[in-house]
């Protein structure tokens, strides 16, 4: 069953479809009540919850669910978290966690042991059936491909023995999952690019890549959220700002979002860019 | 209500204890490199520990005070003076309006923190005033201090205001108050640092030889080092067999090893995620020492258990809490 409602907001140049998907096959079957995971420390103030060694949507949905749960019901001593491809790292305050020891049965433990117990209890308590509602946003990113915005589009086409239109078609027909945000604020690690347009990184990086640049590096595709040096093959640019420090949620994209790239003209690009300013 | 920057110094930035809660968006926590020195400076002037301070590096600035203020300088000795007279570190100091606080070059250690009672009147970005240079946010317009900048100051608390009113009648340019951090507990910044680590997740992936070298030989900090990370030089470290790791979180203190075998210590401005094998993680209590290390200094890694690391952490926090209480009492008494 799929429930769909759409919100088109042309003025903000962001097209968003919210899809609530009740999909038993996506996350867990009703029978799989026990979640498989391992815990290990990252230094003395963080712990990693690892759900597996394969990058796929099923494993990632477990990451998303725990992240969502922690965000809405953080435990005493919870400081921050970083969801990744197959794991989620939780930063905690050892002092705060130790203070909550008195509430737990058993002997005195280290802060790490206390946090592990809290995580075990949290995961056990998560109502897996209700978690089957796997809310996923679809974000459309307008991109002006080639010309001045995509200086490496020619190279990508030649390397893969395609013409320019074919590269644009393949790139924009894909639907990509945001597995993780890292490298820079708002920078998405996307999964799902077609191998037909996979192209190795540039042998020497550019000292400056404009923010909004859409690139390919090996089998990955992504969008530079801030101006940085970089070695990706740049095939286009979006006028959208992926990093918005003045907002409470400073990233346009979030872990778990589905991304579509929409080809636009230079004229539309300039129009949308003005709207963003 | 301000400080005029006559000379900015090598790298002077506004820092506090960082942005917490935004790492999932790729926004680093960041903040002061030497959190211990930063916190103690704030404690000495009666500020909250999270209050912003001015982090100065190796070659310090020259600051003109447009108002009489209670100040503390903690960390490395960058030779602060006012009109040729040395200003002590690790103590609260009353600096009179019009004075110029001048720094030179550090010899031991490389970073110091200048806390001013009342903090700095600068915009808060994502919950913090820390300067995130790469993204250009926080601090003064997301950048380091420049010559000519005017740094606006916040308003001190009641206790400190009363102290200021009472004490500034007779001072010429500055006077240090009769208390400070006890010399016996002050850190010592040497060029050979013993640094305690706990084994990283990927430690078992390294050869036995490499693990032995890592713990028994010194690693030198190269000039390719900054607030994001320190590149080390020493016996190269190798994996038992090549491995393709899935990127996940790293943090301040993670020691990662790229394919070339030379370890990198990730520092406070490092990215939130990485894909290189993590051989070790520096115990939180020793991050303050590493933050004061300079290119040319040598690190000797020593392995401890996670349990020991957390015990040390708890002891340090107890100590800081005691200092905080003592400082509050002293400021109250002085009024």
């Amino acid at each position: 069953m799929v429930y769909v409602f759409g919100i088109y907001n042309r003025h903000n140049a962001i097209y968003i479809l919210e899809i609530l998907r009740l999909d038993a096959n996506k996350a867990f079957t009703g029978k799989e009540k026990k979640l498989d995971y391992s815990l290990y420390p990252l230094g003395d103030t963080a712990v990693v919850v690892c759900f597996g060694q394969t990058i796929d949507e099923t494993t990632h949905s477990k990451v998303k669910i725990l992240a969502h749960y922690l965000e809405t019901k953080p435990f005493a001593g919870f400081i921050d978290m970083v969801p990744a491809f197959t794991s989620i790292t939780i930063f905690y305050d050892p002092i705060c966690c130790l203070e909550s020891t008195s509430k737990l049965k058993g002997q005195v433990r280290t802060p790490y042991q206390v946090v592990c117990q809290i995580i075990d209890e949290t995961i056990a308590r998560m109502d897996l059936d209700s978690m089957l509602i796997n809310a996923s946003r679809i974000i459309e990113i307008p991109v002006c491909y080639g010309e001045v915005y995509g200086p490496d589009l020619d190279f990508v086409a030649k390397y893969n023995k395609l013409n320019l239109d074919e590269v644009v078609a393949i790139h924009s027909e894909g639907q990509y999952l945001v597995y993780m945000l890292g490298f820079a604020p708002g920078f998405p690690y996307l999964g799902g690019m077609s191998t037909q347009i996979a192209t190795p990184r540039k042998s020497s990086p550019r000292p400056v890549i404009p923010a909004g640049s859409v690139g390919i590096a090996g089998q990955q595709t992504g969008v530079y959220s801030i101006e940085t040096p970089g070695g990706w093959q740049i095939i286009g640019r979006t006028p959208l700002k992926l990093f918005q420090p003045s907002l409470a949620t400073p990233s346009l994209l979030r872990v778990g979002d589905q991304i579509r790239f929409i080809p636009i003209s230079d004229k539309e690009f300039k129009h949308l860019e003005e709207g963003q300013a | 209500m301000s400080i005029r920057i006559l000379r900015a110094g090598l790298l002077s930035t506004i820092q506090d204890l960082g942005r917490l809660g935004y790492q999932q968006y790729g926004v680093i926590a960041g903040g002061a490199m030497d959190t211990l020195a930063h916190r103690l400076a704030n404690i000495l002037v009666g500020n909250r520990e999270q209050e912003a301070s001015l982090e100065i590096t190796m070659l310090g600035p020259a600051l003109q005070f447009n108002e009489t203020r209670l100040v503390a300088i903690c960390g490395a000795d960058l030779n602060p003076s006012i009109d040729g007279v040395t200003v002590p570190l690790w103590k609260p100091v009353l600096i009179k309006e019009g004075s110029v606080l001048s720094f030179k070059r550090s010899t031991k250690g490389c970073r110091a923190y200048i806390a001013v009672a009342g903090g700095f009147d600068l915009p808060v970005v994502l919950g913090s005033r820390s300067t995130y240079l790469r993204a250009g946010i926080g601090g003064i317009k997301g950048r380091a201090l420049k010559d000519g900048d005017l740094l606006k100051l916040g308003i001190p608390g009641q206790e400190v205001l009363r102290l200021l009113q009472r004490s500034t009648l007779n001072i010429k340019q500055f006077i240090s108050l009769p208390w400070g951090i006890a010399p016996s507990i002050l850190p010592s910044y040497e060029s050979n640092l013993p640094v305690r680590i706990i084994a990283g997740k990927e430690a078992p992936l390294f050869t036995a030889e490499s693990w032995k070298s890592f713990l028994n030989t010194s690693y030198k900090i190269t000039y390719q080092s900054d607030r994001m990370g320190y590149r080390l030089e020493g016996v190269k470290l190798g994996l038992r067999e090549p491995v393709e790791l899935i990127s996940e979180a790293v943090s301040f203190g993670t020691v990662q090893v790229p394919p070339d075998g030379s370890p990198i210590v990730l520092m406070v401005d490092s990215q939130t995620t990485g894909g290189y094998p993590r051989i070790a993680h520096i115990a939180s209590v020793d991050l303050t020492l590493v933050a004061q290390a300079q290119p040319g200094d040598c690190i000797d890694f020593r392995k401890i258990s996670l349990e020991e690391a957390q015990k040390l952490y708890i002891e340090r926090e107890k100590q800081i809490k005691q200092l905080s209480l003592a400082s509050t009492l002293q400021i109250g008494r002085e009024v």
Side-chain angles (χ1 to χ4, degrees):
Chain A
M1 266 198 300
V2 175
Y3 297 88
V4 179
F5 55 95
I7 304 169
Y8 281 84
N9 193 338
R10 286 198 115 80
H11 299 292
N12 288 351
I14 296 172
Y15 314 123
I16 299 177
L17 289 170
E18 298 263 358
I19 292 193
L20 291 174
R21 196 182 293 136
L22 274 168
D23 191 337
N25 295 327
K26 268 291 171 176
F28 324 98
T29 64
K31 294 164 197 153
E32 192 196 312
K33 290 286 180 184
K34 189 171 168 259
L35 259 185
D36 231 344
Y37 62 96
S38 64
L39 299 175
Y40 50 88
L42 176 71
D44 49 25
T45 55
V47 58
V48 184
V49 186
C50 185
F51 292 104
Q53 295 303 316
T54 331
I55 299 176
D56 58 47
E57 294 201 25
T58 309
T59 310
H60 191 255
S61 57
K62 297 173 189 177
V63 170
K64 269 201 318 179
I65 287 169
L66 181 54
H68 175 75
Y69 201 86
L70 288 169
E71 208 166 12
T72 46
K73 294 180 221 262
F75 56 86
F78 171 88
I79 288 181
D80 206 347
M81 63 174 175
V82 178
F85 287 96
T86 62
S87 68
I88 176 166
T89 300
I90 298 165
F91 293 85
Y92 60 90
D93 175 352
I95 303 286
C96 217
C97 290
L98 210 60
E99 278 159 10
S100 64
T101 317
S102 54
K103 297 180 188 134
L104 297 173
K105 297 174 216 163
Q107 316 135 313
V108 175
R109 296 165 181 227
T110 65
Y112 176 70
Q113 288 168 329
V114 170
V115 175
C116 285
Q117 178 147 353
I118 292 172
I119 292 169
D120 285 338
E121 288 172 0
T122 302
I123 291 178
R125 221 179 18 242
M126 275 174 8
D127 185 350
L128 297 183
D129 287 332
S130 72
M131 291 294 170
L132 289 175
I133 298 171
N134 199 355
S136 189
R137 308 187 311 167
I138 293 187
I139 311 278
E140 295 187 342
I141 299 185
V143 177
C144 188
Y145 286 95
E147 310 267 357
V148 61
Y149 303 116
D152 301 315
L153 184 62
D154 275 343
F155 180 82
V156 170
K158 286 203 176 78
Y159 185 87
N160 290 291
K161 298 185 173 61
L162 300 165
N163 64 45
L164 302 183
D165 288 338
E166 284 170 322
V167 174
V168 172
I170 293 168
H171 190 261
S172 58
E173 270 155 21
Q175 185 157 302
Y176 307 89
L177 171 63
V178 179
Y179 275 96
M180 172 170 95
L181 298 168
F183 169 67
F187 182 96
Y189 282 80
L190 302 175
M193 189 181 82
S194 164
T195 48
Q196 290 181 280
I197 51 175
T199 315
R201 281 177 167 79
K202 294 178 82 65
S203 48
S204 43
R206 286 194 173 84
V208 171
I209 294 185
S213 292
V214 178
I216 291 175
Q219 303 202 356
Q220 287 186 86
T221 187
V223 185
Y224 280 91
S225 53
I226 60 173
E227 185 183 278
T228 57
W232 291 39
Q233 304 285 354
I234 305 303
I235 60 172
R237 199 188 306 175
T238 178
L240 298 188
K241 293 193 190 333
L242 267 65
F243 175 45
Q244 300 163 343
S246 57
L247 300 181
T249 303
S251 173
L252 176 68
L253 303 177
R254 293 178 208 174
V255 170
D257 283 346
Q258 303 276 344
I259 307 295
R260 300 198 85 102
F261 294 104
I262 311 294
I264 58 170
S265 66
D266 185 8
K267 196 167 164 201
E268 280 179 282
F269 181 99
K270 292 198 164 74
H271 178 69
L272 289 173
E273 199 180 26
E274 267 168 52
Q276 290 277 294
Chain B
M1 288 261 284
S2 62
I3 293 175
R4 171 74 66 190
I5 311 303
L6 301 180
R7 197 181 65 236
L10 182 63
L11 179 66
S12 305
T13 55
I14 297 290
Q15 302 292 350
D16 57 24
L17 293 176
R19 313 193 144 80
L20 302 175
Y22 300 96
Q23 289 183 79
Q24 61 176 301
Y25 303 115
V27 179
I28 66 169
M33 280 275 267
D34 181 352
T35 54
L36 180 62
H38 162 90
R39 290 166 75 184
L40 293 178
N42 273 323
I43 283 169
L44 288 170
V45 298
N47 284 344
R48 302 172 311 137
E49 293 173 34
Q50 305 95 299
E51 194 64 74
S53 72
L54 181 60
E55 177 183 275
I56 63 177
T57 317
M58 287 188 199
L59 196 59
L63 315 170
Q64 180 169 51
F65 282 75
N66 296 339
E67 194 181 63
T68 300
R69 283 285 170 156
L70 185 66
V71 170
I73 307 162
C74 294
D77 190 353
L78 272 74
N79 295 294
S81 64
I82 294 178
D83 241 359
V85 182
T86 302
V87 176
L89 265 63
W90 306 104
K91 288 175 133 260
V93 177
L94 272 170
I95 297 181
K96 199 165 181 188
E97 176 187 330
S99 303
V100 176
L101 177 64
S102 226
F103 291 83
K104 292 210 195 91
R105 188 177 272 285
S106 61
T107 39
K108 280 186 179 179
C110 63
R111 290 175 171 90
Y113 296 81
I114 306 164
V116 182
F120 297 97
D121 182 9
L122 288 166
V124 171
V125 179
L126 297 171
S128 161
R129 291 189 168 94
S130 290
T131 312
Y132 180 7
L133 292 167
R134 195 153 177 252
I137 60 170
I140 298 180
K141 298 172 190 167
R143 59 165 173 79
L145 251 59
K146 281 193 199 151
D147 293 356
D149 276 342
L150 194 70
L151 208 47
K152 283 202 261 183
L153 300 172
I155 300 168
Q158 283 299 322
E159 297 280 335
V160 173
L161 279 173
R162 272 178 282 185
L163 189 156
L164 287 169
Q165 277 160 12
R166 221 186 92 101
S167 312
T168 51
L169 303 169
N170 298 315
I171 63 167
K172 288 185 202 139
Q173 285 183 301
F174 76 92
I175 188 169
S176 59
L177 299 186
W179 71 85
I181 308 292
S184 54
I185 63 167
L186 288 183
S188 150
Y189 307 130
E190 306 298 334
S191 8
N192 285 293
L193 300 79
V195 172
R196 290 164 291 196
I197 54 107
I198 62 174
K201 173 69 165 49
E202 286 87 41
L205 300 182
F206 288 86
T207 63
E209 270 296 307
S210 293
W211 190 234
K212 225 168 139 202
S213 302
F214 184 66
L215 294 177
N216 294 296
T217 66
S218 295
Y219 284 84
K220 189 157 84 161
I221 299 172
T222 68
Y223 279 90
Q224 286 77 49
S225 299
D226 57 20
R227 279 176 50 94
M228 278 185 71
Y230 292 176
R231 286 188 179 264
L232 305 182
E233 190 183 84
V235 178
K236 291 200 193 264
L237 307 169
L239 298 169
R240 293 173 199 270
E241 54 191 29
V243 71
E244 210 33 63
L245 293 174
I246 301 172
S247 290
E248 61 182 35
V250 290
S251 81
F252 183 8
T254 299
V255 183
Q256 62 179 23
V257 186
D260 71 4
S262 295
I264 299 174
V265 181
L266 297 181
M267 299 304 284
V268 82
D269 276 358
S270 79
Q271 295 163 204
T272 53
T273 58
Y276 292 137
R278 299 159 295 188
I279 191 170
H281 201 99
I282 295 174
S284 289
V285 293
D286 280 351
L287 289 175
T288 171
L289 286 182
V290 182
Q292 291 292 351
Q294 314 189 54
D297 288 349
C298 285
I299 298 180
D300 291 312
F301 292 107
R302 300 203 183 145
K303 182 176 179 296
I304 62 173
S305 67
L306 172 58
E307 192 170 342
E308 274 180 85
Q310 292 195 319
K311 246 196 212 149
L312 291 166
Y313 181 102
I314 292 164
E315 271 164 31
R316 170 76 59 84
E317 289 303 308
K318 281 194 186 141
Q319 207 178 34
I320 294 173
K321 187 129 195 198
Q322 282 167 356
L323 288 168
S324 181
L325 287 168
S327 178
T328 309
L329 279 172
Q330 287 288 6
I331 291 175
R333 234 180 253 153
E334 193 71 6
V335 167

